[in-house]
């Protein structure tokens, strides 16, 4: 069970869910959808968001059935110990790879926009060490950080998008809603994988003080993210066109570089871009580390130990440096999403959900 000193509000939980997802996906999703779905990307985002809402509904109902217990405690309660430990290890591996991806992309973006001559190792290590201190005091400080950081990131992004509207060519998104089943399905898969991080619901929901209407809050977080993805896709395609978007690695970042701020009080927005991405990276990595700390505590049945996740940092650092270049990074991201990602966000929760419904385990009804 969870102690009373580490509780969060429904609003903080909503911020955690949004902050855990809003990052790598919004950078590359427009490009990936342009390749896989083309103009059907709008349909794919809407469909992928609906599927993600269904996943969050399943997660929330599963966790609220076992009041104040994380997914790791639920697994330990309803499954044999060897199987429970294997699943815990899969989650730890998931967090390690996710953290490595975040810090590697952070390092590459910083090197591209700002510190071109700084070794990648230095940039990555700086982020890891900074975040390790943030997560030492549990999930509540991380949730408060998410509440602060989220507006600082989302509001400037929307302002930058709005400033681009006069120069957008919305004919670039035509033809819209011309269904091509294969393309739409490919895009749905891409969109759902862009919601990786949504599994935080399986952990954070257990820490919410009052779970009344928690499902509504969790669903609102997914809807908000779906709107962000949809706006980013429409703006990027309208600015660059489908063919050029396909050739861009991070079209959303490049889109921000094209902003011409009225009044010219900013000569360029590189500083804003780096600031936003630094905020995002710190927030996502802190959420990943706090989840890894929780799974280690629950798996080994320890009292709250605030430094356990730090034992994973050297492995995360080495994993981040393993790919030779950014192309390899995205190759491994695809492998991770297609295999371990599917297991974590779909297969394990679905099996647990069905098992709990059939056996009627837990205190509350689903």
């Amino acid at each position: 069970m969870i102690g009373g000193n580490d509780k969060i509000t429904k609003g903080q939980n909503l911020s955690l869910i949004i902050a855990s997802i809003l990052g790598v996906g919004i950078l590359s999703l427009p490009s990936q959808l342009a390749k896989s779905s083309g103009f059907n990307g709008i349909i794919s985002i809407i469909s992928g968001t609906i599927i993600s809402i269904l996943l969050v509904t399943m997660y929330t109902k599963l966790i609220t059935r076992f009041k104040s217990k994380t997914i790791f405690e639920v697994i330990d309660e309803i499954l044999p110990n060897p199987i429970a430990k294997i699943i815990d290890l899969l989650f730890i591996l998931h967090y390690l790879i996710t953290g490595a991806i975040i810090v590697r992309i952070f390092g590459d973006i910083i090197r591209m926009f700002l510190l071109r001559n700084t070794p990648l190792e230095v940039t990555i290590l700086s982020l890891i060490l900074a975040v390790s201190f943030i997560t030492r005091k549990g999930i509540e400080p991380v949730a408060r950080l998410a509440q602060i950081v989220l507006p600082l990131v989302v509001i400037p992004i929307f302002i930058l998008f709005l400033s681009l509207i006069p120069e957008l060519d919305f004919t670039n998104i035509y033809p819209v809603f011309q269904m091509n089943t294969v393309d739409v399905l490919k895009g749905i898969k891409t969109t759902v994988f862009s919601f990786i991080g949504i599994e935080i619901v399986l952990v954070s929901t257990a820490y919410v003080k009052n779970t009344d209407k928690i499902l509504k809050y969790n669903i609102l977080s997914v809807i908000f993210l779906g709107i962000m993805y949809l706006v980013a896709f429409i703006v990027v395609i309208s600015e660059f066109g489908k063919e050029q978007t396909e050739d861009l690695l991070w079209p959303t970042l490049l889109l921000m570089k094209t902003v011409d701020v009225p009044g010219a009080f900013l000569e360029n927005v590189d500083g804003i871009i780096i600031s936003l991405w630094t905020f995002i990276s710190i927030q996502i990595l802190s959420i990943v580390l706090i989840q890894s700390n929780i799974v280690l505590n629950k798996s080994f049945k320890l009292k709250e130990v605030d430094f356990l996740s730090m034992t994973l940092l050297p492995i995360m650092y080495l994993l981040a440096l393993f790919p030779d270049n950014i192309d390899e990074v995205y190759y491994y991201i695809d492998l991770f999403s297609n295999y371990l990602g599917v297991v974590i966000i779909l297969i394990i929760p679905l099996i647990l959900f069905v098992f709990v419904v059939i056996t009627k385990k837990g205190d509350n009804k689903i």
Side-chain angles (χ1 to χ4, degrees):
M1 301 293 288
I2 297 167
N5 295 326
D6 208 7
K7 291 289 187 176
I8 60 177
T9 66
K10 290 188 284 285
Q12 289 174 330
N13 190 50
L14 181 145
S15 298
L16 277 175
I17 296 169
I18 295 173
S20 67
I21 302 169
L22 186 63
V24 176
I26 201 169
L27 292 181
S28 57
L29 182 62
S31 176
Q32 293 172 334
L33 281 180
K35 294 175 184 176
S36 62
S37 298
F39 302 111
N40 292 309
I42 294 175
I43 303 173
S44 298
I45 292 175
I46 295 172
S47 303
T49 301
I50 293 172
I51 292 173
S52 298
I53 289 172
L54 294 176
L55 287 174
V56 162
T57 301
M58 178 177 68
Y59 298 164
T60 306
K61 287 185 176 294
L62 176 62
I63 296 303
T64 53
R65 185 176 179 101
F66 297 83
K67 190 175 181 181
S68 296
K69 290 185 178 179
T70 66
I71 185 64
F72 314 116
E73 292 166 297
V74 172
I75 290 169
D76 188 60
E77 179 177 324
I78 67 177
L79 296 179
N81 187 63
I83 296 176
K85 290 296 180 281
I86 291 172
I87 294 176
D88 287 344
L89 288 173
L90 287 176
F91 270 92
I92 292 171
L93 180 61
H94 170 73
Y95 296 139
L96 277 171
I97 296 174
T98 302
I101 289 170
I102 293 300
V103 297
R104 176 56 188 264
I105 294 179
F106 168 82
D108 282 323
I109 289 177
I110 293 294
R111 189 162 60 172
M112 175 185 294
F113 284 92
L114 189 64
L115 306 175
R116 292 178 174 84
N117 297 320
T118 301
L120 183 64
E121 294 84 352
V122 174
T123 307
I124 289 175
L125 188 60
S126 300
L127 177 65
I128 289 177
L129 291 177
V131 174
S132 66
F133 286 98
I134 297 173
T135 58
R136 292 181 65 248
K137 296 303 178 182
I139 194 171
E140 197 270 339
V142 175
R144 279 191 280 118
L145 178 65
Q147 275 191 312
I148 297 170
V149 168
L150 205 57
L152 295 177
V153 170
V154 172
I155 293 174
I157 289 176
F158 270 113
I159 291 174
L160 290 173
F161 283 168
L162 288 173
S163 67
L164 285 166
I165 289 178
E167 62 185 69
L168 297 180
D169 182 4
F170 290 104
T171 61
N172 285 335
I173 66 174
Y174 298 155
V176 183
F177 302 123
Q178 288 194 357
M179 294 290 291
N180 181 312
T181 304
V182 174
D183 289 346
V184 169
L185 290 175
K186 289 179 181 178
I188 290 173
K189 175 185 173 185
T190 301
T191 303
V192 172
F193 284 157
S194 294
F195 279 92
I196 284 183
I198 204 173
E199 67 279 357
I200 190 178
V201 173
L202 295 166
V203 177
S204 63
T205 302
Y207 289 86
V208 176
K209 294 176 185 177
N210 179 8
T211 55
D212 182 42
K213 297 183 179 179
I214 185 63
L215 179 59
K216 175 183 175 182
Y217 278 78
N218 289 353
I219 289 175
L220 282 175
S221 66
V222 179
I223 293 173
F224 178 84
L225 287 161
I227 292 172
M228 286 285 292
Y229 284 157
L230 189 60
V231 170
F233 178 76
I234 292 174
V235 173
V236 168
I237 295 293
S238 299
E239 174 71 12
F240 297 125
K242 175 180 175 295
E243 288 75 17
Q244 187 176 354
T245 301
E246 291 180 6
D247 296 330
L248 299 174
L249 179 61
W250 297 315
T252 310
L253 283 179
L254 294 177
L255 180 75
M256 293 179 184
K257 285 178 66 69
T258 67
V259 172
D260 184 14
V261 181
F265 65 91
L266 289 175
E267 293 185 2
N268 62 67
V269 294
D270 284 10
I272 296 177
I273 294 171
I274 294 303
S275 299
L276 293 178
W277 181 242
T278 301
F279 281 140
I280 291 172
S281 300
I282 289 174
Q283 184 63 74
I284 299 176
L285 187 57
S286 66
I287 292 171
V288 169
L289 287 181
I290 196 63
Q291 288 181 95
S292 63
N293 195 53
I294 290 170
V295 64
L296 287 170
N297 276 305
K298 304 307 179 186
S299 179
F300 293 104
K301 292 182 170 47
L302 301 173
K303 292 183 178 180
E304 296 296 328
V305 180
D306 57 15
F307 57 82
L308 271 181
S309 62
M310 297 183 70
T311 60
L312 302 177
L313 295 181
I315 304 173
M316 189 179 294
Y317 173 79
L318 294 175
L319 286 175
L321 294 175
F322 182 75
D324 292 329
N325 51 58
I326 195 63
D327 289 332
E328 279 196 18
V329 172
Y330 275 90
Y331 169 77
Y332 289 119
I333 288 176
D334 287 339
L335 286 180
F336 166 66
S337 301
N338 289 329
Y339 295 98
L340 184 57
V342 171
V343 171
I344 294 296
I345 71 172
L346 178 60
I347 295 177
I348 291 175
L350 182 59
I351 292 174
L352 291 175
F353 184 80
V354 172
F355 180 78
V356 166
V357 169
I358 294 175
T359 59
K360 299 181 179 179
K361 290 183 178 291
D363 301 325
N364 303 315
K365 292 182 179 180
I366 291 179

